[in-house]
């Protein structure tokens, strides 16, 4: 049995796009807007599903489509009989509230790339991909207070004020290799091996500002600059390691073109290793805000730093009518209680997390030749999540940070390809005396489909 590959201008352009995305992704900054909850653990966990999943609340453990890549359960890859390439980008906007103030921030970037192709059509499909795993992006202002031990004005008030803040950036990314194998018409199994890597930096900053620096008298301003500086307690962590996910799916026929699907995934606990550096920096103003004088005092240099990603269990149930509609329910659970974390504040901790999501999809007439919009796949969903973040109370107890969201989306056919759009809006709330977030996310994905491997008919 021999196969050959036909290279076309279209495929060359697609490969060029993939290489461009990979080059840009290594230079990209945060994938999510600022959120104070990313100061905890390894940060905010990014959705692992693609645009076709995110339009229906992220479900996909039990149900998939042969026209889209499923990144949630490797066992479902066996449904793919064509070569598929998916590229996606997202925009995340968040408004963070506390008891007095609110602040909006937004961030957009390229998010994922995935390539799947059948090794044995209908039996074994392989998949490679790259996408963000977690994100750290926050800046928390803790207030400004006068420094009465410095120079004082004639009326006894302070010239120097100290502002304190917490900030951090970075996150983890994953490059993965997945395989889905169909054992028979009812059962499929899958394996996903990922390489997790990344770094993140957290800082506790105290900034000292002398109000006399704005004086018109040059001699007074020069003296004030000596009292204008900041100190930063800086914690840098860099980690990497391998992670494994196992998947299974049962598919049983219950009527004419109607199927019941049951999916199961298990992420094995991953032990991340790397290095950690802690230092105290004093950054003195030189008149050029982009080139301050930095005095660095190392505190810790640990080349044997380790942390972990706890095991994760996922269960999915889906009912579908072929080429028409589907409805799916997913449940995931992951206990972060024993995760080694450095939150930067004693007010935060991590605990057990779970998510319940319900989503559906409807295509009026996939094979319609008269109505374009009848061939569009429409999606919607809702979800409730108990996040791993805990807010510690004054009485020694804790409050779970919860998240509720609704979503909608659609996939528009463009020839044999698809343009997918998904939007979600939600609320993340930690209760009294904690931050509340209102957010929205927009994801745009493009799916290219071709048949790369063709069996020779003549030798």
């Amino acid at each position: 049995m021999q196969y050959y590959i036909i290279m076309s201008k279209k495929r060359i352009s697609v490969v060029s796009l993939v290489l461009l995305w990979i080059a840009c992704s290594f230079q990209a900054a945060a994938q999510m807007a600022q959120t104070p909850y990313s100061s905890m653990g390894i940060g905010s966990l990014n959705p692992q599903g693609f645009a076709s999943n995110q339009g229906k609340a992220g479900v996909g453990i039990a149900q998939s489509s042969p026209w889209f890549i499923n990144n949630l359960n490797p066992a479902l890859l066996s449904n793919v009989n064509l070569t598929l390439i998916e590229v996606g980008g997202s925009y995340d906007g968040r408004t963070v509230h506390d008891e007095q103030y609110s602040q909006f921030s937004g961030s957009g970037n390229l998010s994922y790339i995935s390539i799947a192709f059948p090794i044995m059509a209908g039996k074994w499909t392989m998949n490679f991909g790259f996408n963000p795993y977690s994100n750290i992006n926050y800046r928390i202002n803790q207030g400004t207070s006068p420094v009465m031990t410095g120079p004082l004005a004639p009326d006894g008030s302070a010239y120097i004020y100290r502002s304190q803040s917490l900030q951090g950036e970075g996150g983890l990314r994953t490059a993965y290799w997945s395989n889905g194998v169909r054992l028979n018409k009812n059962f499929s199994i899958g394996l996903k091996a990922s390489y997790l890597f990344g770094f993140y930096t957290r800082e506790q900053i105290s900034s000292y500002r002398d109000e006399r620096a704005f004086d018109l008298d040059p001699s007074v301003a020069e003296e004030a600059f000596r009292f204008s500086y900041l100190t930063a307690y800086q914690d840098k962590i860099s980690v990497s390691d391998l992670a494994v996910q196992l998947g299974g799916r049962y598919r049983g026929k219950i009527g004419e073109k109607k199927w019941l699907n049951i999916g199961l995934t298990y992420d094995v606990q991953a032990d991340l290793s790397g290095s950690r550096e802690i230092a105290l920096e004093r950054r003195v103003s030189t008149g050029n805000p982009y080139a301050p004088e930095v005095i660095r005092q190392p505190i810790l240099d640990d080349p044997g730093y380790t942390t972990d990603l706890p095991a994760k269990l996922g269960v999915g149930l889906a009912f579908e009518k072929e080429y028409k509609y589907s409805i799916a329910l997913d449940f995931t659970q992951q206990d972060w209680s024993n995760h080694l974390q450095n939150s930067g504040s004693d007010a935060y901790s991590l605990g057990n997390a779970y998510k319940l999501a319900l989503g559906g999809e409807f295509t009026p007439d996939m094979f319609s030749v008269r109505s374009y919009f009848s061939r569009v796949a429409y999606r919607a969903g809702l979800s409730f999540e108990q996040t791993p973040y805990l807010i510690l109370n004054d009485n020694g107890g804790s409050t779970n940070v919860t998240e509720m969201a609704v979503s909608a989306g659609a996939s528009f056919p463009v020839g044999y390809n698809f343009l997918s759009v998904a939007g979600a809006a939600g609320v993340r709330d930690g209760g009294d005396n904690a931050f509340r977030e209102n957010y929205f996310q927009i994801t745009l994905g493009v799916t290219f489909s071709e048949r790369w491997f063709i069996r020779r008919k003549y030798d």
Side-chain angles (χ1 to χ4, degrees):
M1 183 182 298
Q2 294 181 331
Y3 294 82
Y4 64 94
I5 302 175
I6 299 178
M7 290 299 294
S8 65
K9 292 182 179 180
K10 176 182 176 182
R11 185 168 304 118
I12 293 174
S13 64
V14 170
V15 173
S16 300
L17 176 63
V18 171
L19 294 176
L20 176 62
W21 183 92
I22 293 175
C24 292
S25 64
F26 278 100
Q27 300 297 326
Q31 299 290 332
M32 301 180 76
Q34 287 189 9
T35 164
Y37 294 112
S38 69
S39 65
M40 305 158 72
I42 61 171
S44 291
L45 302 180
N46 292 71
Q48 296 302 296
F50 298 155
S52 58
N53 302 103
Q54 294 182 34
K56 47 186 179 181
V59 298
I61 295 178
Q63 193 271 335
S64 68
S65 168
W67 295 280
F68 301 98
I69 299 174
N70 188 302
N71 191 39
L72 300 175
N73 185 348
L76 299 177
L77 288 171
S78 58
N79 290 349
V80 176
N81 292 320
L82 297 173
T83 296
L84 301 179
I85 299 178
E86 293 206 28
V87 181
S90 63
Y91 179 84
D92 182 80
R94 293 176 184 263
T95 301
V96 181
H97 307 266
D98 63 10
E99 294 179 342
Q100 294 181 313
Y101 305 102
S102 66
Q103 178 178 330
F104 174 82
S105 66
S107 178
N109 225 316
L110 294 169
S111 298
Y112 59 83
I113 174 68
S114 188
I115 303 175
F117 50 88
I119 303 300
M120 298 176 63
K123 293 185 178 181
W124 175 17
T125 299
M126 187 176 295
N127 173 217
F128 296 92
F130 182 89
N131 60 284
Y133 186 85
S134 72
N135 168 264
I136 294 176
N137 184 20
Y138 66 92
R139 183 178 180 87
I140 304 173
N141 295 319
Q142 298 179 305
T144 300
S145 59
V147 178
M148 305 305 296
T149 57
L152 301 178
D155 62 358
S157 62
Y159 280 129
I160 301 176
Y161 288 82
R162 179 178 65 186
S163 300
Q164 293 181 288
S165 64
L166 303 173
Q167 66 183 44
E169 62 180 3
L172 298 180
R173 301 186 181 187
T174 176
Y176 60 86
W177 170 60
S178 297
N179 291 268
V181 177
R182 188 190 305 274
L183 300 179
N184 53 46
K185 66 178 183 179
N186 298 116
F187 290 95
S188 300
I189 59 173
L191 171 68
K192 180 180 180 180
S194 303
Y195 178 69
L196 285 159
F197 62 96
F199 66 91
Y200 37 97
T201 301
R202 292 184 170 95
E203 293 184 327
Q204 300 180 35
I205 294 177
S206 295
S207 177
Y208 296 85
R209 183 186 75 254
D210 192 326
E211 296 293 338
R212 296 175 300 168
F214 303 99
D215 198 296
L216 295 178
D217 187 340
S219 62
V220 175
E222 183 178 354
E223 178 187 4
F225 270 119
R226 294 190 290 111
F227 296 97
S228 299
Y229 64 92
L230 66 80
T231 60
Y233 179 86
Q234 187 180 80
D235 191 350
K236 289 185 176 181
I237 294 175
S238 176
V239 292
S240 64
D241 216 323
L242 297 177
V244 174
Q245 181 189 59
L246 306 175
R249 195 272 297 266
Y250 168 78
R251 176 177 170 87
K253 193 170 186 179
I254 57 175
E256 182 65 26
K257 295 185 178 180
K258 296 180 180 179
W259 301 83
L260 179 67
N261 303 282
I262 301 173
L264 182 68
T265 60
Y266 182 75
D267 293 61
V268 181
Q269 176 177 312
D271 296 318
L272 304 179
S273 59
S275 62
R276 181 184 184 188
E277 298 180 6
I278 298 178
L280 184 65
E281 288 190 353
R282 180 183 172 106
R283 303 168 188 171
V284 183
S285 175
T286 60
N288 181 354
Y290 301 101
E293 178 185 348
V294 178
I295 304 172
R296 183 178 177 85
Q297 178 182 348
I299 297 176
L300 173 70
D301 185 2
D302 180 11
Y305 176 80
T306 60
T307 187
D308 70 280
L309 295 181
K312 181 179 181 180
L313 176 67
V315 181
L317 180 68
F319 172 75
E320 65 174 313
K321 183 175 182 179
E322 283 184 352
Y323 312 123
K324 196 69 175 179
Y325 62 82
S326 68
I327 184 168
L329 180 68
D330 282 4
F331 174 81
T332 57
Q333 184 272 334
Q334 192 172 24
D335 190 355
W336 292 82
S337 301
N338 297 319
H339 173 71
L340 299 177
Q341 49 110 10
N342 300 276
S343 65
S345 173
D346 294 334
Y348 301 122
S349 186
L350 299 178
N352 185 44
Y354 65 84
K355 181 178 180 180
L356 187 65
L358 176 67
E361 178 178 324
F362 174 69
T363 306
D365 185 355
M366 180 174 292
F367 304 104
S368 174
V369 295
R370 295 184 176 181
S371 173
Y372 172 81
F373 289 100
S374 293
R375 302 197 303 272
V376 175
Y378 302 94
R379 306 182 179 96
L382 54 91
S383 64
F384 173 82
E385 181 177 2
Q386 176 176 288
T387 73
Y389 316 123
L390 299 177
I391 306 300
L392 303 184
N393 304 325
D394 295 336
N395 59 9
S398 61
T399 301
N400 291 98
V401 177
T402 59
E403 184 173 323
M404 293 182 290
V406 295
S407 62
S411 287
F412 301 91
V414 183
Y416 293 102
N417 308 313
F418 288 91
L419 174 65
S420 298
V421 181
V427 178
R428 182 183 286 181
D429 191 5
D432 296 337
N433 302 319
F435 293 105
R436 176 186 175 93
E437 294 180 3
N438 298 92
Y439 70 87
F440 67 91
Q441 296 172 334
I442 299 174
T443 303
L444 180 66
V446 180
T447 304
F448 303 94
S449 62
E450 280 194 17
R451 189 179 297 276
W452 283 12
F453 301 94
I454 303 175
R455 182 177 178 180
R456 288 185 182 273
K457 294 183 178 181
Y458 306 99
D459 291 328

